[in-house]
C-alpha cells in the first residue's frame, strides 16, 4: 500500500478502463482507485483517511447539467484525505460556467476534454503529481523520480540536502555569499603569499579562455577581480552569451567536482585576476589550512544553491513562455477559423439574395393570382380541374423544351389556335382527349375558363418556386451551421459525403467560374467530430480555389480503401491551379507558413489545424503537387474509430 493515491471518478466504464490503462506507469508508487459518483468518492475518502493514505491526484468527470463533479473539486480541501490534492476535470464538451466556478475557487489545475490522448493524460498526470510530491513529500523524493519529472525531483532533493547542509554549516551571520567569498579568496592569497610556485595567482587580459564547453576541466577558478562571460553553443553552432560572473564567483566548479566536461565556455571580458587551483593543489591547501575547509564548503554550497535556483527560475520562465505560446496558438487557430467563416458568410449572403428575391417576387405574383381566383366563380367540375392543375404544377417539374414544342404543335393542329395550344401546354393540360372533352363541354366559354385555369396553374408554379427557394436557403444555412457550430467536441455518426457536400454548398458562389467534378463511391458512416471535419474540408477547398486564379476544375473524390470492416476512407481534393514547389510542400504543414497571394487572407495555420484534426481522428493528410500543374490534397480516415479516441456515438 502506497501513501499516496490517484482517485478517478467517472460512471463510464470505458473511460475508467482507459484512465487505468493510461495511468498504469504510476502504479508502482501510487495506488490507483476509482468510483462511479462523487458520493461514492466521499465514502472512499473516509476509508483512505482510516488507512492513513492521501489523495495526490483527483480526476473527476462532470456530466453536463450536473455539478456534482465540480462541487467535489471545489470542496476537495475540506476532507482530510484529499486536502491539497491536484485536480483534473474531464468533460465531453466545454462547460465554461462550471470550469470558471472551479477556477475562481482555485481548485482546478487542468481541464481535459473527452476523448483524450494517452500521452496527454500521462504528461498532465506526471506534471501534477510532481507538483504534489514536491509540496507534500518531506523525504525520499527520489522514490518518485522514476515515474515523475526526474530532473525536477532530483534538483529538489539536491536543494533540500544543500539547505540541510547549510543549516548545519552556516551561522545566520555568515549566510552572505559575498562575505564568505571574500574570506575564502583572502585566505587563498594568504596561503600563496611568498609561496606561489605553481603560479596559481594569475592576471589575464580580456578574451582569455578559462574553460571550454564540452571539454575536460581539471581546475577551479576563483575570480578575485574582473568579469568572466559564460557562453553556450546551440545545435546550429550559434554561440550565445548566457551569463556574466564577477568578483567572488567560481568558474568550473561543477566539472571540477564531478569530473564531467565543462558545461560552458568561460572567457574573460575585462582584465581579470584569478586563482587557478587543480585537485592536487586543492588537497594541499585544505590540508595545511584547515580553517579554509568549512568556509570553502559554505562558499561552494551557496554557489551550487544559487546555480540551482537560477536553473529553477529559468525552468519556470520557460514553462510560462510555453504556456503563453500555447494560448497564442489557440487564439490564432480561432482567428483563422473566424476569418474564414467571415468569408463564407459573405459568400452565403450573396447566394441567399437570389432565393430571397425570388420568394418576394413570387409572393407579389401569388397575391395577384389568388385575387383573380377568388373573384372568378367555377362550377364543381371546372373547379376540380383547376385544383388538379394547381396541384400538378406545384408537384411536377416543368417539361423539357423539346417535349413542350411537340405538345404545342399537336394541340395547335387540333384547336386551330397556336396561342391557346401554348397556354394549355404551359398549364400542363396537353392530353388531347381531355382538351377535346372540355372544348365540347364548355363551347364558347372554353377560352374564358382557360384564363381562370391559367391562374390556378400559376399559383401552383409560384408555390413550387417558393418551396425550391426555401429549400435552397435551408441548405445554405445548414451548411454554414455545420461549420460554425460550437459542439465540435461531441463525436457522432457522420456521413462523409454529406459533410463534403454541405461544405461545397458554402462555396457555390466562388465555384461559379470553375467546373466542379465529384466522384463519390459509397462509403460507410464514421464516428467523428462533424464540425472539426467540416473545418478540414473548408480549408482544403478554400486553398484549392485560391490556387486557381483562372477558371479551372475542382475535383472531389471519395472512395474506400481495403475492406469496409477495417479499411480506410480516402478523400481527395484536386485543383488545376498554380501548384507548389517541393520546398513549399515540405513546409506547408508548418505553423505560420503561408503561400497566400495578396488579396487572400491566410495566417499560415489552416493546414496545421487540418493536420492536427486528421491526426486526432487517427488519419493522415498528404500533398501531391507540381508547379504549374495543380495540387491534390488527400485525407485518409479510418472507418473504425482508433482505440485512443474510442467513444460511443452521440444520439
Amino acid at each position: 500500500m502506497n501513501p499516496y493515491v490517484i482517485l478517478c471518478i467517472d460512471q463510464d466504464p470505458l473511460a475508467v478502463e482507459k484512465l487505468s490503462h493510461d495511468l498504469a506507469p504510476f502504479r508502482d508508487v501510487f495506488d490507483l482507485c476509482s468510483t462511479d459518483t462523487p458520493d461514492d468518492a466521499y465514502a472512499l475518502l473516509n476509508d483512505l483517511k482510516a488507512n492513513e493514505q492521501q489523495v495526490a491526484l483527483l480526476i473527476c468527470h462532470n456530466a453536463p447539467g450536473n455539478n456534482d463533479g465540480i462541487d467535489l473539486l471545489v470542496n476537495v480541501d475540506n476532507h482530510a484525505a484529499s486536502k491539497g490534492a491536484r485536480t483534473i476535470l474531464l468533460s465531453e464538451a466545454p462547460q465554461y460556467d462550471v470550469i470558471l466556478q472551479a477556477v475562481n475557487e482555485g481548485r482546478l489545475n487542468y481541464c481535459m476534454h473527452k476523448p483524450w490522448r494517452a500521452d496527454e493524460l500521462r504528461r498532465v498526470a506526471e506534471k501534477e503529481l510532481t507538483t504534489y510530491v514536491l509540496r507534500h513529500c518531506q523525504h525520499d523524493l527520489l522514490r518518485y523520480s522514476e515515474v515523475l519529472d526526474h530532473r525536477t525531483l532530483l534538483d529538489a532533493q539536491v536543494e533540500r540536502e544543500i539547505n540541510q547542509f547549510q543549516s548545519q554549516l552556516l551561522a545566520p551571520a555568515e549566510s552572505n555569499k559575498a562575505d564568505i567569498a571574500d574570506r575564502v579568496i583572502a585566505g587563498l592569497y594568504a596561503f600563496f603569499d611568498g609561496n606561489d610556485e605553481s603560479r596559481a595567482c594569475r592576471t589575464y587580459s580580456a578574451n582569455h579562455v578559462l574553460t571550454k564547453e564540452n571539454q575536460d576541466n581539471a581546475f577551479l577558478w576563483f575570480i578575485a577581480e574582473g568579469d568572466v562571460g559564460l557562453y553556450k553553443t546551440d545545435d546550429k553552432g550559434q554561440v550565445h552569451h548566457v551569463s556574466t560572473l564577477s568578483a567572488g564567483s567560481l568558474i568550473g566548479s561543477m566539472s571540477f567536482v564531478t569530473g564531467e566536461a565543462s558545461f560552458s565556455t568561460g572567457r574573460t571580458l575585462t582584465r581579470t585576476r584569478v586563482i587557478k587551483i587543480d585537485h592536487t593543489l586543492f588537497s594541499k591547501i585544505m590540508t595545511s589550512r584547515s580553517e579554509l575547509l568549512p568556509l570553502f564548503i559554505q562558499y561552494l554550497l551557496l554557489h551550487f544553491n544559487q546555480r540551482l535556483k537560477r536553473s529553477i527560475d529559468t525552468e519556470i520562465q520557460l514553462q510560462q513562455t510555453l504556456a503563453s505560446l500555447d494560448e497564442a496558438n489557440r487564439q490564432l487557430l480561432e482567428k483563422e477559423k473566424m476569418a474564414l467563416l467571415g468569408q463564407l458568410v459573405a459568400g452565403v449572403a450573396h447566394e441567399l439574395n437570389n432565393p430571397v428575391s425570388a420568394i418576394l417576387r413570387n409572393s407579389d405574383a401569388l397575391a395577384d393570382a389568388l385575387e383573380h381566383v377568388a373573384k372568378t366563380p367555377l362550377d364543381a367540375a371546372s373547379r376540380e380541374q383547376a385544383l388538379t392543375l394547381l396541384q400538378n404544377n406545384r408537384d411536377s417539374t416543368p417539361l423539357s423544351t423539346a417535349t413542350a414544342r411537340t405538345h404545342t404543335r399537336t394541340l395547335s393542329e387540333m384547336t386551330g389556335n397556336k396561342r391557346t395550344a401554348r397556354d394549355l401546354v404551359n398549364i400542363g393540360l396537353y392530353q388531347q382527349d381531355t382538351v377535346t372533352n372540355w372544348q365540347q363541354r364548355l363551347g364558347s366559354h372554353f377560352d374564358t375558363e382557360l384564363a381562370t385555369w391559367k391562374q390556378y396553374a400559376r399559383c401552383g408554379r409560384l408555390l413550387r418556386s417558393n418551396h425550391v427557394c426555401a429549400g435552397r436557403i435551408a441548405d445554405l444555412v445548414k451548411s454554414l451551421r455545420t461549420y460554425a457550430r460550437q459542439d465540435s467536441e461531441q463525436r457522432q455518426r457522420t456521413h462523409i459525403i454529406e459533410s463534403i457536400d454541405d461544405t461545397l454548398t458554402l462555396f457555390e458562389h466562388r465555384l461559379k467560374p470553375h467546373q466542379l467534378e465529384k466522384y463519390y463511391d459509397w462509403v460507410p458512416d464514421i464516428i467523428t467530430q462533424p464540425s472539426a471535419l467540416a473545418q478540414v474540408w473548408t480549408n482544403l477547398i478554400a486553398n484549392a480555389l485560391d490556387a486557381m486564379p483562372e477558371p479551372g476544375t475542382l475535383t472531389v473524390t471519395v472512395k474506400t480503401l481495403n475492406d469496409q470492416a477495417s479499411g480506410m476512407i480516402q478523400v481527395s481534393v484536386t485543383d488545376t491551379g498554380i501548384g507548389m514547389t517541393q520546398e513549399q510542400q515540405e513546409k506547408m504543414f508548418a505553423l505560420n507558413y503561408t503561400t497566400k497571394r495578396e488579396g487572400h487572407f491566410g495566417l499560415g495555420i489552416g493546414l496545421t489545424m487540418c493536420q492536427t484534426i486528421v491526426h486526432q481522428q487517427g488519419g493522415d493528410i498528404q500533398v501531391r503537387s507540381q508547379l504549374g500543374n495543380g495540387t491534390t490534397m488527400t485525407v485518409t480516415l479510418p472507418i473504425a474509430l482508433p482505440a485512443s479516441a474510442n467513444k460511443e456515438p452521440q444520439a
Side-chain angles (χ1 to χ4, degrees):
M1 184 175 66
N2 292 299
Y4 298 129
V5 174
I6 301 174
L7 176 57
C8 305
I9 302 101
D10 199 316
Q11 288 183 319
D12 184 357
L14 294 178
V16 173
E17 181 180 354
K18 191 171 187 303
L19 285 169
S20 179
H21 175 270
D22 293 348
L23 295 171
F26 307 99
R27 285 180 176 273
D28 288 341
V29 289
F30 293 94
D31 285 352
L32 184 60
C33 302
S34 64
T35 64
D36 292 339
T37 66
D39 289 338
D40 294 338
Y42 285 116
L44 180 59
L45 289 176
N46 293 330
D47 294 338
L48 294 177
K49 179 182 178 182
N51 293 334
E52 297 184 350
Q53 288 182 290
Q54 198 75 18
V55 176
L57 177 61
L58 190 147
I59 304 174
C60 185
H61 171 255
N62 189 80
N66 185 344
N67 290 345
D68 289 348
I70 289 295
D71 291 338
L72 175 61
L73 294 183
V74 170
N75 294 289
V76 70
D77 285 334
N78 294 335
H79 198 287
S82 59
K83 186 176 181 61
R86 309 297 291 177
T87 59
I88 297 176
L89 174 66
L90 298 177
S91 64
E92 287 89 357
Q95 302 177 50
Y96 300 112
D97 53 341
V98 297
I99 292 175
L100 184 60
Q101 177 189 351
V103 170
N104 289 337
E105 295 287 342
R107 289 312 292 128
L108 180 60
N109 300 118
Y110 195 86
C111 181
M112 187 179 301
H113 298 307
K114 292 182 176 181
W116 63 87
R117 300 187 306 276
D119 58 341
E120 179 186 13
L121 180 60
R122 284 195 295 270
R123 175 177 56 80
V124 174
E126 177 183 328
K127 175 179 177 295
E128 300 300 335
L129 288 171
T130 299
T131 300
Y132 181 87
V133 168
L134 286 174
R135 292 181 179 178
H136 298 280
C137 182
Q138 301 302 320
H139 56 82
D140 197 15
L141 290 179
L142 297 184
R143 177 191 179 195
Y144 302 93
S145 63
E146 292 298 321
V147 297
L148 301 183
D149 189 335
H150 177 79
R151 176 183 173 184
T152 300
L153 293 178
L154 180 60
D155 288 348
Q157 183 72 19
V158 170
E159 185 173 6
R160 286 185 181 183
E161 292 179 2
I162 289 175
N163 290 335
Q164 183 178 359
F165 290 148
Q166 286 178 319
S167 64
Q168 296 174 352
L169 293 172
L170 297 178
E174 295 182 316
S175 60
N176 186 286
K177 181 184 176 184
D179 292 343
I180 296 176
D182 289 342
R183 294 173 61 185
V184 170
I185 292 174
L188 291 175
Y189 273 121
F191 173 82
F192 291 115
D193 186 19
N195 183 31
D196 192 9
E197 298 177 358
S198 61
R199 297 183 60 248
C201 302
R202 304 186 179 195
T203 301
Y204 294 116
S205 59
N207 209 36
H208 182 85
V209 175
L210 303 181
T211 61
K212 291 185 178 180
E213 181 181 358
N214 296 326
Q215 292 190 12
D216 292 337
N217 169 56
F219 299 97
L220 188 62
W221 311 78
F222 293 84
I223 302 176
E225 181 183 305
D227 296 316
V228 176
L230 299 183
Y231 300 86
K232 286 285 293 180
T233 304
D234 61 23
D235 296 337
K236 297 181 179 179
Q238 185 71 30
V239 177
H240 302 275
H241 177 263
V242 294
S243 181
T244 297
L245 302 180
S246 55
S249 298
L250 284 175
I251 302 293
S253 56
M254 290 296 293
S255 55
F256 182 82
V257 172
T258 64
E260 297 178 352
S262 293
F263 178 73
S264 60
T265 296
R267 181 183 292 115
T268 58
L269 302 177
T270 61
R271 183 178 181 275
T272 305
R273 293 172 56 219
V274 302
I275 301 176
K276 177 183 178 183
I277 299 175
D278 61 16
H279 288 87
T280 302
L281 187 56
F282 180 81
S283 298
K284 181 179 179 181
I285 294 171
M286 296 305 160
T287 301
S288 60
R289 299 290 297 271
S290 59
E291 72 277 8
L292 288 179
L293 182 57
L295 280 176
F296 177 75
I297 292 176
Q298 295 170 9
Y299 181 42
L300 193 61
L301 288 175
L302 286 171
H303 172 77
F304 284 162
N305 186 48
Q306 186 179 40
R307 183 167 179 172
L308 283 170
K309 288 182 177 179
R310 284 201 304 265
S311 176
I312 293 172
D313 290 341
T314 301
E315 187 75 19
I316 293 174
Q317 291 174 2
L318 287 174
Q319 291 176 358
Q320 292 173 341
T321 301
L322 287 174
S324 299
L325 288 174
D326 286 342
E327 177 61 20
N329 181 55
R330 186 195 66 77
Q331 293 177 0
L332 279 175
L333 291 175
E334 190 63 22
K335 184 178 181 181
E336 172 98 343
K337 178 181 176 182
M338 289 299 102
L340 186 53
L341 180 59
Q343 294 180 357
L344 295 177
V345 168
V348 169
H350 182 89
E351 288 298 303
L352 285 173
N353 185 60
N354 290 333
V356 169
S357 298
I359 289 174
L360 292 175
R361 290 194 301 269
N362 291 345
S363 297
D364 292 337
L366 187 60
D368 293 339
L370 288 174
E371 182 178 1
H372 185 280
V373 166
K375 291 180 178 179
T376 306
L378 296 174
D379 60 32
S382 182
R383 183 174 297 278
E384 183 178 352
Q385 178 64 64
L387 292 174
T388 300
L389 291 173
L390 185 152
Q391 190 64 36
N392 290 343
N393 278 271
R394 178 183 177 185
D395 297 337
S396 303
T397 57
L399 297 175
S400 67
T401 302
T403 303
R405 286 175 179 173
T406 300
H407 288 310
T408 301
R409 283 195 300 269
T410 301
L411 292 178
S412 294
E413 295 172 358
M414 187 183 76
T415 62
N417 188 319
K418 186 175 182 179
R419 181 175 181 179
T420 299
R422 188 184 300 111
D423 288 343
L424 288 168
V425 172
N426 286 340
I427 67 174
L429 190 60
Y430 44 77
Q431 298 82 5
Q432 297 180 41
D433 293 343
T434 305
V435 173
T436 300
N437 291 336
W438 279 110
Q439 283 181 323
Q440 293 174 353
R441 180 173 182 174
L442 297 174
S444 61
H445 298 290
F446 179 77
D447 289 340
T448 303
E449 208 80 350
L450 177 59
T452 302
W453 291 348
K454 286 168 59 178
Q455 295 301 323
Y456 275 88
R458 185 186 180 197
C459 289
R461 289 195 300 273
L462 291 171
L463 288 172
R464 180 182 181 279
S465 176
N466 280 356
H467 181 75
V468 171
C469 290
R472 170 69 176 150
I473 293 172
D475 288 342
L476 288 168
V477 172
K478 173 178 175 288
S479 300
L480 191 60
R481 186 175 59 185
T482 298
Y483 178 81
R485 64 187 175 185
Q486 297 301 311
D487 62 346
S488 58
E489 298 301 326
Q490 296 289 339
R491 291 187 181 272
Q492 54 187 277
R493 196 171 301 280
T494 304
H495 188 48
I496 290 292
I497 292 177
E498 182 181 356
S499 174
I500 294 172
D501 277 342
D502 283 345
T503 305
L504 287 170
T505 300
L506 295 175
F507 285 96
E508 284 189 357
H509 179 62
R510 293 187 59 187
L511 281 167
K512 288 180 179 178
H514 308 288
Q515 180 178 350
L516 174 63
E517 295 182 358
K518 299 189 291 187
Y519 301 97
Y520 295 161
D521 289 347
W522 180 90
V523 293
D525 293 349
I526 65 173
I527 304 301
T528 186
Q529 299 164 295
S531 57
L533 212 55
Q535 293 180 48
V536 175
W537 312 139
T538 303
N539 277 280
L540 296 186
I541 294 170
N543 288 345
L545 294 174
D546 288 344
M548 294 190 292
E550 303 295 334
T553 301
L554 179 71
T555 304
V556 181
T557 304
V558 182
K559 60 183 179 181
T560 55
L561 305 178
N562 304 325
D563 62 277
Q564 294 175 359
S566 60
M568 309 288 283
I569 294 176
Q570 187 180 84
V571 179
S572 298
V573 178
T574 302
D575 64 71
T576 57
I578 59 177
M580 291 184 288
T581 64
Q582 184 62 36
E583 180 183 4
Q584 288 173 329
Q585 295 178 56
E586 293 172 355
K587 294 179 179 179
M588 63 183 302
F589 292 110
L591 186 63
N592 297 327
Y593 179 76
T594 180
T595 60
K596 297 284 187 181
R597 305 181 311 281
E598 185 176 355
H600 292 285
F601 177 83
L603 296 174
I605 59 178
L607 285 176
T608 306
M609 180 171 59
C610 289
Q611 187 181 59
T612 300
I613 292 171
V614 172
H615 285 177
Q616 287 175 346
Q617 179 63 25
D620 191 26
I621 181 170
Q622 298 292 334
V623 58
R624 186 178 72 254
S625 183
Q626 186 175 359
L627 194 62
N629 289 326
T631 300
T632 296
M633 299 295 301
T634 301
V635 174
T636 306
L637 296 169
I639 294 175
L641 191 66
S644 59
N646 192 21
K647 183 180 177 182
E648 290 299 318
Q650 300 298 311

